[in-house]
């Protein structure tokens, strides 16, 4: 019988729990988002996030068990995302996971959030074949990897400044689309002229597999608000977000999306040429992006590479990916003990 694992995820602003059978079959997947608590700050406030996790973690775990039709004592282990992320948020999930594993006398599995995103294409789907290339695109990460197995990972490149999701969220605020605005910007981009503004497509050095989004972000700022005058706190702009008309907003969204996604697709192409692999795995919130999904499909077809995208419900942070990868840890005998702590960094 495949093991039945509870997964717990609390690295940022989603409190999530899930029950997964083996490494792929999702029995329940509960995500309580905190967007309403952070929206007025247009970003995640760490203190608010950890308090909200504390309030929600118990009920979310309970609902995951009820929806799966599983009693806690039927679980074969508890998997928890322990790094990387906001330290105060991670500690809530890690403490809950440790307490449950101890009280049930079951193995505790310590799962890396980024590797879990790379496992998400397997959920409710076929097993993943290795070796593979991996692309993680989220609010906190934009990185390329070479994977020889679900737990054998080598980083090939990463963003040197903002993550692509972070750039989307900041761009959406600038365009007056609210926060977190990645999905809204993606929808609006479909209605605009993507060649209206020639935003820079960051490629860095000829050989680089790194990413950069600060130049694009600044270019959009100037396109929306005009050229600034003054310096530092005294900087002023001739226009505001409110001055944008709808047609211009649509065109800016489309042009931003073209530049942001073209740089990712070109880097993935570079990686496929330099590190050929039969499979490309994609994970993270931005893997829900319609243009990215379409363009990666075309690219992988041209290279004879199998593209593994997560189902949309598993793109954003969730605990099913934590439990699924937890099963891989369990199978490999890689269990944690009660000395487990959280780490903000990807150690
Ligand atoms: O993986 P995730 O839930 O959290 C992190 O680990 O960061 O990713 C959230 C990010 C947010 O920045 C959100 O705006 C972005 O994913 N996102 C999108 C889309 N859907 C979510 N960005 C662009 N297009 C989308 N369709
Ligand atoms: Zn994530």
């Amino acid at each position: 019988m495949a093991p039945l694992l509870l997964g717990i995820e609390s690295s940022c602003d989603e409190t999530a729990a899930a029950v997964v059978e083996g490494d792929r079959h999702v029995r329940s997947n509960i995500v309580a988002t905190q967007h309403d608590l952070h929206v007025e700050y247009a970003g995640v406030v760490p203190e608010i996030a950890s308090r909200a996790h504390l309030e929600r973690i118990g009920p979310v775990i309970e609902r995951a068990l009820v929806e799966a039709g599983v009693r806690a004592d039927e679980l074969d282990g508890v998997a928890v995302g322990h790094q990387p992320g906001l330290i105060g948020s991670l500690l809530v999930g890690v403490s809950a996971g440790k307490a449950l594993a101890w009280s049930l006398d079951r193995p505790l599995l310590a799962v890396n959030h980024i590797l879990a995103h790379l496992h998400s294409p397997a959920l409710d789907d076929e097993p993943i074949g290795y070796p593979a290339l991996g692309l993680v695109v989220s609010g906190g990460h934009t990185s390329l990897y070479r994977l020889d197995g679900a737990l054998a990972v080598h980083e090939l490149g990463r963003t040197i400044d903002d993550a692509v999701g972070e750039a989307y969220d900041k761009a959406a605020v600038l365009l007056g689309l609210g926060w977190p605005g990645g999905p809204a910007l993606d929808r609006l981009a479909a209605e605009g002229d993507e060649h209206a503004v020639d935003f820079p497509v960051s490629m860095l050095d000829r050989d680089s597999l790194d990413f950069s989004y600060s130049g694009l972000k600044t270019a959009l700022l100037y396109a929306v608000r005009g050229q600034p005058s003054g310096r530092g706190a005294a900087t002023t702009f001739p226009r505001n977000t409110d001055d944008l008309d709808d047609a211009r907003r649509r065109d800016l969204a489309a042009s931003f999306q073209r530049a942001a996604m073209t740089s990712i697709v070109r880097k993935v192409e570079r990686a496929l040429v330099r590190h050929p692999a039969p499979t490309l795995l994609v994970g993270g919130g931005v893997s829900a992006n319609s243009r990215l999904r379409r363009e990666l499909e075309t690219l992988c077809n041209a290279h004879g590479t199998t593209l593994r995208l997560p189902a949309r419900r598993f793109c954003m942070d969730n605990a099913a990916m934590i439990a699924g990868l937890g099963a891989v840890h369990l199978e490999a005998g890689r269990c944690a003990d009660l000395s487990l702590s959280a780490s903000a960094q990807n150690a």
Side-chain angles (χ1 to χ4, degrees):
M1 267 275 284
L4 206 53
L5 295 193
L6 174 75
I8 299 174
E9 153 64 33
S10 68
S11 65
C12 191
D13 61 340
E14 335 274 357
T15 316
V19 175
V20 175
E21 205 178 309
D23 69 337
R24 292 181 292 122
H25 179 48
V26 180
R27 298 268 300 257
S28 68
N29 182 40
I30 308 297
V31 182
T33 169
Q34 304 176 4
H35 292 166
D36 52 328
L37 300 179
H38 304 284
V39 67
E40 69 176 286
Y41 308 99
V44 177
V45 182
E47 263 306 303
I48 295 178
S50 12
R51 279 163 203 258
H53 283 304
L54 261 182
E55 285 165 14
R56 292 160 195 217
I57 194 91
V60 164
I61 290 174
E62 211 167 302
R63 243 186 88 194
L65 291 170
V66 169
E67 281 204 10
V70 167
R71 287 193 322 269
D73 63 6
E74 292 175 303
L75 292 170
D76 296 304
V78 178
V80 60
H82 73 119
Q83 68 172 30
L86 298 172
I87 190 70
S89 291
L90 285 166
L91 280 168
V92 175
V94 167
S95 307
K98 281 161 74 170
L100 260 173
W102 177 77
S103 62
L104 296 167
D105 194 20
R106 296 289 192 280
L108 174 69
L109 298 317
V111 173
N112 179 294
H113 182 87
I114 298 174
L115 299 194
H117 272 307
L118 289 170
H119 182 74
S120 63
L123 297 173
D124 284 342
D125 209 318
E126 298 295 311
I128 293 170
Y130 296 96
L133 280 179
L135 171 71
V136 175
V137 277
S138 74
H141 305 276
T142 306
S143 306
L144 273 166
Y145 301 90
R146 153 109 194 165
L147 293 93
D148 293 312
L151 302 175
V153 174
H154 169 72
E155 187 182 274
L156 301 173
R158 58 157 68 197
T159 181
I160 59 167
D161 40 56
D162 289 353
V164 60
E166 193 181 352
Y168 261 82
D169 290 341
K170 286 178 181 160
V173 169
L174 257 175
L175 292 172
L177 302 175
W179 180 91
L185 204 165
D186 183 12
R187 281 192 298 275
L188 190 65
E191 300 168 22
D193 171 7
E194 64 179 37
H195 297 293
V197 182
D198 192 17
F199 284 132
V201 174
S202 149
M203 292 305 289
L204 303 171
D205 293 344
R206 251 187 45 210
D207 290 337
S208 175
L209 292 175
D210 289 336
F211 302 87
S212 167
Y213 281 98
S214 60
L216 175 59
K217 207 176 59 183
T218 307
L220 178 70
L221 172 70
Y222 291 178
V224 172
R225 302 195 59 192
Q227 287 295 322
S229 47
R231 289 173 143 253
T235 307
T236 56
F237 290 90
R239 294 191 298 275
N240 263 322
T241 295
D242 299 343
D243 299 326
L244 281 179
D245 64 43
D246 287 347
R248 176 81 173 155
R249 185 178 284 115
R250 285 195 293 271
D251 288 351
L252 287 172
S255 303
F256 175 90
Q257 172 133 300
R258 179 189 55 78
M261 290 314 172
T262 301
S263 85
I264 293 184
V265 173
R266 288 196 190 149
K267 291 289 164 62
V268 172
E269 182 163 28
R270 245 180 216 178
L272 282 172
V273 170
R274 259 200 275 151
H275 306 272
T279 302
L280 174 68
L281 306 172
V282 188
V286 184
S287 60
N289 186 272
S290 55
R291 184 183 183 123
L292 185 65
R293 292 174 86 93
R294 210 170 47 237
E295 294 206 349
L296 288 177
E297 193 84 59
T298 310
L299 178 72
C300 285
N301 281 341
H303 284 260
T305 305
T306 303
L307 175 63
R308 299 293 309 272
L309 290 164
R312 283 180 198 265
R313 65 186 177 286
F314 301 129
C315 288
M316 305 286 278
D317 287 349
N318 66 84
M321 65 184 192
I322 301 286
L325 192 58
V328 179
H329 280 254
L330 187 64
E331 167 92 23
R334 284 174 56 167
C335 299
D337 60 34
L338 295 180
S339 67
L340 177 70
S341 194
S343 163
Q345 306 303 324
N346 194 18

